[in-house]
Amino acid sequence: TGDIDTVTEPCVCSTTSPGSVCTLRAAIQTANACTTGAPHTIIFNADYTIRPVTNLPAVLRDNTTISGVGHTIKIYPADSNSTTRGLAITGDSCAVHHLWIQNFGTGIVVYGSSNIIGLKDDGTNDNSEGNTIVLNNTGVEVDTGSFNQVSGNYIGVDNAGSLSYGNYESGVEISTGFTTIGTDGDGNSDGWEGNVISNNAEYGIYVTSAGSFATISGNTFGISAKAGTTAAPNDLGGIELSGSFALIGTDGNNTSDNTERNIISGNGYTGINVNGGNGQKISGNSIGLAGDGSTIVPNSSSGIRIDETAHNVTIGVDESNTSYSSHERNIISGNTSNGIEIYGYQNTVAGNYIGLSLDGTANKGNSQSGISAYGHDNTIGVDSDALASAYEGNVLSLIHISQGIVR
């Protein structure tokens, strides 16, 4: 919990003068005070457990990286009554890699733009840059700014899939625009960029109405590990979405489309609930099955629910790139209630497998209806514009389903 380094050497958190200690607090203070020589990097020379007595300083200086790669760096509050968050990022183009952050009000809160929490995808240590963010109230809050990315982290579980570490509220909360959670689909380290966001007491991700244009791709929600089959429920659901124009899953551009698939299964309520906004796209996901595309790990309610105020939501094929429309197919199977439940209006459900395995060969029925549509002016299947018509039909298995489509 040291003060700012008093050595006069600019931009160096030194330990050479008598009594000087380069704590994490002192390192952040030094980076904040440094007006030259960006980028700034804070690294560690050994394993440490850091117990701040009061909030660590916010990272104010642009292009500052805090990296624990190569070591075990655990940050816990000394007194939870005096520490409201683990790290706060106010600067732009900053990065936080490979830290364990636990027992704060919020593990990491982001206020700046173009920051990276987790994996940077620059080809160096990409598979070890993720953070473990557990046992906080909220894991990560992206509060203001834009073009921030949260990738390659374990949020609510550790990298061994332990179920003892759930955050007490949501894993991630997004209240600002143009945030990417998971892979950015640029073809660089996309397979490492997905987060495991499971075992949280509220939602895996909560996107508020201010969180427009979010991209949520390549993540695992409600299962203990990326390749796992053990349920680790986010108790209120996998994704709670109010922000408009969000993309959940793949963009269907034939770059890393399969890697952009979210696994949204095993959650304590709905897999995805769209409770407001418009223009969201939900494509290429597996909802109710494990990552193997066959093992049922049901969400405890419907796979996808579109509430009354949500409209112009596309579930499946959106006709934007007809050459790769099949990549946009959702697999919505094995859920405890309906596959899809629609109360909103002017929504489209096209090109999905509902009640089938990933390869379409095995019956994995939802316990109730495949599609239950109560709103008005919704399109189920092929529309009349002759674009991507070969891909727009939904395939519904009627095994273990009370009804295929209820309207």
Side-chain angles (χ1 to χ4, degrees):
T1 61
D3 295 326
I4 189 168
D5 166 46
T6 57
V7 178
T8 57
E9 185 178 358
C11 304
V12 176
C13 184
S14 177
T15 60
T16 58
S17 65
S20 63
V21 177
C22 185
T23 63
L24 178 57
R25 182 183 301 274
I28 295 171
Q29 289 171 330
T30 300
N32 288 343
C34 181
T35 59
T36 61
H40 311 296
T41 304
I42 298 171
I43 58 175
F44 302 84
N45 62 358
D47 298 345
Y48 291 101
T49 296
I50 299 168
R51 302 294 301 272
V53 174
T54 59
N55 281 338
L56 291 166
V59 178
L60 307 176
R61 186 64 57 196
D62 295 350
N63 295 294
T64 298
T65 294
I66 303 175
S67 177
V69 171
H71 299 289
T72 299
I73 308 299
K74 294 191 174 184
I75 307 176
Y76 304 76
D79 180 357
S80 61
N81 293 322
S82 60
T83 50
T84 59
R85 43 63 174 171
L87 291 174
I89 311 298
T90 303
D92 298 337
S93 302
C94 298
V96 178
H97 305 314
H98 196 68
L99 304 178
W100 180 298
I101 299 176
Q102 174 177 328
N103 288 349
F104 292 95
T106 302
I108 300 175
V109 58
V110 178
Y111 299 107
S113 296
S114 301
N115 297 293
I116 296 172
I117 307 303
L119 189 154
K120 192 175 182 179
D121 90 354
D122 60 358
T124 301
N125 297 315
D126 287 351
N127 64 342
S128 57
E129 289 181 330
N131 302 286
T132 301
I133 304 169
V134 294
L135 291 172
N136 306 283
N137 285 345
T138 301
V140 178
E141 290 184 13
V142 185
D143 196 67
T144 57
S146 57
F147 300 105
N148 294 293
Q149 184 169 354
V150 179
S151 57
N153 304 288
Y154 294 87
I155 303 175
V157 294
D158 66 3
N159 61 4
S162 172
L163 304 187
S164 302
Y165 293 115
N167 294 293
Y168 299 113
E169 295 177 5
S170 293
V172 179
E173 183 173 322
I174 302 172
S175 300
T176 189
F178 297 97
T179 301
T180 296
I181 307 297
T183 181
D184 55 13
D186 66 357
N188 298 318
S189 298
D190 290 331
W192 295 108
E193 288 177 329
N195 302 282
V196 179
I197 306 175
S198 300
N199 196 39
N200 299 290
E202 293 187 359
Y203 305 105
I205 293 182
Y206 174 40
V207 184
T208 71
S209 58
S212 56
F213 295 97
T215 298
I216 302 171
S217 300
N219 305 287
T220 300
F221 297 92
I223 294 179
S224 62
K226 290 182 180 180
T229 57
T230 300
N234 297 296
D235 289 347
L236 298 186
I239 299 172
E240 183 78 1
L241 177 61
S242 297
S244 295
F245 307 110
L247 170 64
I248 300 179
T250 184
D251 54 10
N253 69 352
N254 202 37
T255 299
S256 299
D257 288 351
N258 289 333
T259 306
E260 292 167 348
R261 177 186 305 275
N262 295 293
I263 308 301
I264 308 171
S265 305
N267 294 288
Y269 195 57
T270 303
I272 301 170
N273 185 47
V274 184
N275 66 3
N278 70 92
Q280 298 96 336
K281 177 182 174 182
I282 303 170
S283 298
N285 303 286
S286 182
I287 303 172
L289 300 180
D292 61 11
S294 179
T295 303
I296 292 175
V297 188
N299 295 294
S300 293
S301 184
S302 295
I304 300 173
R305 176 187 168 99
I306 310 297
D307 281 354
E308 291 90 340
T309 58
H311 61 285
N312 292 326
V313 179
T314 298
I315 302 174
V317 174
D318 73 349
E319 302 178 342
S320 62
N321 191 333
T322 56
S323 297
Y324 308 111
S325 292
S326 63
H327 299 184
E328 297 175 324
R329 175 187 300 126
N330 295 292
I331 313 301
I332 308 168
S333 303
N335 296 288
T336 301
S337 184
N338 302 297
I340 301 171
E341 195 170 344
I342 301 176
Y343 297 90
Y345 57 98
Q346 295 176 347
N347 302 291
T348 299
V349 181
N352 304 285
Y353 282 177
I354 303 173
L356 291 164
S357 59
L358 176 64
D359 62 8
T361 63
N363 295 304
K364 306 289 179 179
N366 299 285
S367 295
Q368 296 185 22
S369 299
I371 303 172
S372 185
Y374 301 100
H376 62 86
D377 297 312
N378 295 297
T379 299
I380 311 297
V382 179
D383 59 20
S384 59
D385 65 6
L387 295 174
S389 298
Y391 299 102
E392 288 178 329
N394 300 287
V395 180
L396 288 82
S397 167
L398 298 182
I399 306 298
H400 305 303
I401 305 178
S402 60
Q403 300 179 73
I405 301 176
V406 176
R407 304 177 93 166

